Structures are given as C-alpha cells and as structure tokens.
Amino acid sequence: MNHSAHPVITVVGGGFAGTALVLQLRQQPALAHAKIHLIEPREVPGPGLAYTVRRPEYLLNVRPGALSLYPDVPNHFTEWLRGQPESAAGVPEFAPRTTYGRYLNEELTAELTAPAPGPGSLCWHQTTAVVAPIRPDGRRAVLLANGTTLVSDFVVLAMGNFPPPPPAGPDHRYLHHDAYHTDPWGPGNLRRIGPDDNVLLIGSGLTAMDVLLALRQDGHRAPVTVVARHGRWPATHGPATPTYPNFYPELAGETTVTGVLAVFKRHLRAAAAQGIDWRPVLDSLRPDLGRMWATWPLQEQRRFLRHLAGLWAVTRHRSPPQNAATIAALTAAGLVRLHVGTVKEILPDGNVLRVRVRPHDTPGCWHVAQHVVCCTGPLLDYGRIADPLVMSLRDAGHLSADSLRLGLLTDTHGALRGADGVVSTTLFTLGPSRRPAYFESTAVPELRRQAAELAVELAKRVEQTSVS
C-alpha cells in the first residue's frame, strides 16, 4: 500500500486509549504531515465512559503517581492535579474520577486547538463509525454516521469496554423493563431510584461499590441486596510502600498455573518473614503479566480463567480505603446484604422484577426488587458485540475473536488478524480488545504503553513507505 504525502490515521474511540494514542501520534516527527481523525460521539472527548460520570464520590482506585498520560513523564498527572481546586489542602491520595476525566479532556483539547507543528492536522468528529471497507487502492473508507467518509491509511479501534451481557436467561424481557439498569454509568440512571426503593445489585466488584456509594450520596436508605458468585469485595489498598523486587526470572520458564503459584507463594512467605505485605509482592508481577500469560498453553489459560480469575480481580484491582470503610459501615448497619450465589432468572412482574438466585448446592430462592442494577464485567466476546463497525468488520472477515472470548486476535503490534489468519496492514487496535495478548489490558500504565508503542509502529510504517 502506498501512502499519500499526507497519511490519514483514523482513531475510533475517544476515551483514555484513543486520547493517549492521538497524543502519542502527534509527537512522532514522521507523522508531522499526517491527518489524524478522532471519532468520539460523546459531548466531551477524552474521558470516555470510565471518567465521564459527574459524581465526586467516584474515586480513582489508583494513586495519582501511576496515572500520567505520558509514560516518559510519570508525574505529569500529579503535577496537573497539584494545581486544581480539589488539591487546595494537598494532592488527594485517591482523586475523583471526574477530575481525571477533566485532565484527559484538557490534554486532548490543548492538542485539538494548538497550532499544528507541521502541515498535519487533528480533527475530532462527534459521531460514530459505521463501516470501514477496503478500497481498491488498499486504503479504508471509514463511513461515519453523519455521512462523512474518511479515506484512511490506518484505522485504529480504541473502543474501550462494551456493556455487560445479559446476566440471566433465557427470558430476556427484563432487559427492556424500567426496573432493570444495564448501565450504571448512564446519565441520571441511578437517580431514578427512590430513597426507600428495594434494590438488588448483580456483582460485588468496583462497579458495585461505586453504585452503593452513589445511592448513599443520593439519600437512599433502604437495604440493598448484593448477589455475587464468589461473595468477595475488592481488596483494600494498603499504605504506599516500597516496591518488592521483581522475580520474573524465576517465572520465565513456568508454563503452568500451578508452577507460577508455587513460586508466588514462596515469595509471599519470604515477604511475610520480612514484615512485607502481600500487595507489593502481587504488584511486582504486573510488568511481566503479559509475558507470563503468553507462556501458558491454551488449557492453562483456560484453567486460570475458570479457577483464579475472580480471585485475581479482587486482589489486583483494589478499592480506596475510604470506599471500603463506607461499605463496611453500611454492611454493619444492615444496609448492604451480600449473598453468595448466581442469578439464574429475572422475570418482570408488574412494576418489579423477580430474581431467582441459586446459592451453591441449593435449589435457589426468589428476590423481589424495584430496581436491579447490573454491575458485572463488560462483554469481551467480539463474536457477540453488536456495534455497527464491529459487526461490519466481523461479517467481512476482517477481525476475529480469540477462542477464550477475551477480545481480538492481533499480532504483536496490535494489527488485527482476519478470519483467515492474515494480519491486516490497515486495521489496528489497543485497549481492552487486546486482552488475549496480555490478559490485563484496561489500566492506565498498560494502555499508555500500548499507545506509545503503536504510535511508533505507525510512524515507522509511514517512513518505510515514503523511503520505498
């Protein structure tokens, strides 16, 4: 494919991943002539779904030092936060998520409005992408919902997370019932819940904790039922401590979950003997998690997902201490009731929903709720995602879900593999869609690294084409 003198890059999705990528693309000298298009339908580009909701009680679950947009400037967010009104009494240990959304928007807006460093350009389109077929010249024609067509050399899917799948079946009438909340982040969604309404949450992760905090902030005073398969709340962050020494060399040759666990437990014991908490030991695995995951054969990856993924999620993705303290107080007061079990059915019954929960090894019982809020994880299976662009690329055989249904098949640079196994030269992705390669691909440190590496790769391809 021969790129024009002004290569065109279209980034679909303006949340964290898309924003980080656009900012990294603009830093590449080889792309000074590039025309970059950012497709994001929300009114404010940058925050995406995760950081848009205007609720100060929603806190980041990571300290500011780990949240810079730029991997080569690790304190960037901390320094920005230092100058904000919410830091008048000092930089908060866990800042509001809406504050982080403002940070992302300000950085992106500065780039959108700044004079271009070269003849290139950056344009935000407040709409969605519908299809992106291949043209005879090998480029892609990205059709937007507003009728605009962007002829592009590279198209990058940075679409973030999709809403969770239905938590129960086979009767899905509840999905259209006023009492069912499929999207806790929807504008004003939770504010439809009255202070004395009976509420049931499905899931006990960070999303459920946020929902409970929001209900409390809104004056909700009735008990809330929480149903979760494993009945665990996320672990709580401990005090900031020195890092634990990396021990990846001991894990590099381990190709089984059991083998990795044995090494990890040995280090837990060694750390405990030194008075070191388990958290830094677990966190020391983070930089090498992708390499560890890739070393495991498919059956070992499947074994981890079946037996340990739930435990990993609640220990790795932790809650700010003040949030955990609030949930503990609500539980002690009888206002939060956690039930271990699986939601098997949800049936409309007039203005309420009847929810059948099956605890382990029992026939199950029914709960009646005026509101049911789905707090389970996002839909990861690209074979089921109903987004128009995803469906059109899937139908054309230009993308493939992995066998574990974690995301998309790609090469090492994030280029999509089609149904025939061929790696695309025009389609790329980053963010949660790359979970098959890394297992974890949602947190800021991983996503900003992906953005920086992909920007370098696209710049290299443009340079190679121009030379040839």
Side-chain angles (χ1 to χ4, degrees):
M1 178 176 65
N2 292 320
H3 303 298
S4 65
H6 298 278
V8 179
I9 302 173
T10 297
V11 179
V12 182
F16 179 88
T19 295
L21 177 61
V22 164
L23 296 176
Q24 291 292 332
L25 291 170
R26 296 283 278 179
Q27 293 182 17
Q28 300 299 316
L31 300 178
H33 291 73
K35 298 179 179 179
I36 301 171
H37 298 279
L38 178 66
I39 316 303
E40 172 52 58
R42 295 181 178 86
E43 293 183 0
V44 177
L49 176 65
Y51 309 111
T52 294
V53 181
R54 299 182 184 277
R55 281 188 172 271
E57 65 269 24
Y58 288 177
L59 301 181
L60 295 163
N61 68 316
V62 179
R63 293 180 171 93
L67 293 173
S68 170
L69 259 170
Y70 310 99
D72 54 343
V73 190
N75 291 325
H76 190 271
F77 175 59
T78 302
E79 293 305 314
W80 177 91
L81 185 58
R82 206 180 303 279
Q84 302 306 306
E86 47 267 67
S87 300
V91 174
E93 187 177 23
F94 295 94
R97 287 221 299 269
T98 185
T99 299
Y100 193 65
R102 194 169 73 243
Y103 165 69
L104 298 177
N105 175 249
E106 285 188 11
E107 290 298 301
L108 179 58
T109 299
E111 196 63 47
L112 284 166
T113 56
S121 62
L122 171 61
C123 181
W124 165 42
H125 302 263
Q126 191 181 353
T127 184
T128 58
V130 181
V131 295
I134 284 278
R135 288 163 36 104
D137 63 1
R139 303 169 84 196
R140 295 234 169 220
V142 183
L143 175 63
L144 306 183
N146 63 9
T148 302
T149 297
L150 305 173
V151 178
S152 307
D153 298 283
F154 302 110
V155 178
V156 182
L157 306 184
M159 304 175 77
N161 284 317
F162 291 89
D171 187 340
H172 287 165
R173 288 178 298 156
Y174 65 90
L175 295 175
H176 309 289
H177 196 282
D178 286 342
Y180 183 74
H181 302 253
T182 189
D183 179 14
W185 316 113
N189 202 344
L190 297 180
R191 291 196 167 97
R192 295 194 288 112
I193 299 175
D196 297 305
D197 287 351
N198 187 342
V199 179
L200 183 145
L201 309 186
I202 305 174
S204 62
L206 291 169
T207 298
M209 294 185 74
D210 280 345
V211 169
L212 290 170
L213 293 168
L215 291 175
R216 178 177 177 270
Q217 183 68 26
D218 291 346
H220 187 264
R221 51 184 177 247
V224 177
T225 298
V226 180
V227 178
R229 285 185 299 169
H230 301 292
R232 303 186 188 102
W233 294 109
T236 306
H237 275 289
T241 58
T243 59
Y244 186 80
N246 181 280
F247 54 96
Y248 175 70
E250 299 175 48
L251 297 169
E254 295 291 347
T255 59
T256 66
V257 176
T258 302
V260 169
L261 274 176
V263 175
F264 176 63
K265 289 178 179 178
R266 187 167 68 244
H267 278 272
L268 282 180
R269 291 191 294 270
Q274 303 172 57
I276 298 174
D277 185 63
W278 61 268
R279 293 169 179 83
V281 182
L282 185 68
D283 293 342
S284 69
L285 298 175
R286 182 170 179 174
D288 303 297
L289 183 63
R291 290 197 289 176
M292 291 165 51
W293 174 258
T295 300
W296 292 345
L298 185 63
Q299 65 268 25
E300 289 297 313
Q301 293 179 345
R302 187 175 285 113
R303 181 174 292 116
F304 176 84
L305 292 174
R306 185 167 60 247
H307 297 295
L308 289 175
L311 180 60
W312 171 266
V314 297
T315 52
R316 162 71 182 81
H317 301 283
R318 298 168 206 143
S319 169
Q322 55 266 56
N323 287 6
T326 299
I327 301 304
L330 292 172
T331 301
L335 295 175
V336 172
R337 301 166 180 170
L338 180 59
H339 294 259
V340 179
T342 304
V343 173
K344 304 303 292 184
E345 288 183 87
I346 304 176
L347 300 177
D349 186 0
N351 294 328
V352 301
L353 292 172
R354 296 171 57 236
V355 182
R356 184 166 69 89
V357 176
R358 190 180 71 186
H360 299 316
D361 301 322
T362 65
C365 57
W366 288 90
H367 297 260
V368 176
Q370 292 168 282
H371 297 273
V372 174
V373 185
C374 184
C375 303
T376 59
L379 176 61
L380 306 171
D381 182 359
Y382 271 76
R384 299 169 58 191
I385 288 170
D387 176 85
L389 178 60
V390 171
M391 290 193 296
S392 67
L393 292 172
R394 184 174 64 220
D395 292 345
H398 294 169
L399 60 76
S400 293
D402 70 303
S403 60
L404 296 177
R405 304 300 173 178
L406 293 177
L408 292 172
L409 291 177
T410 66
D411 74 353
T412 56
H413 302 297
L416 297 190
R417 290 188 182 276
D420 56 2
V422 175
V423 175
S424 176
T425 59
T426 57
L427 281 174
F428 294 79
T429 191
L430 78 164
S433 55
R434 296 207 65 191
R435 285 191 68 180
Y438 300 111
F439 174 63
E440 279 206 346
S441 188
T442 56
V444 166
E446 286 79 22
L447 299 195
R448 70 188 178 196
R449 185 178 68 246
Q450 289 181 29
E453 292 174 352
L454 182 54
V456 169
E457 176 63 23
L458 296 183
K460 185 187 303 181
R461 295 189 184 209
V462 168
E463 280 185 309
Q464 290 171 345
T465 303
S466 63
V467 170
S468 61

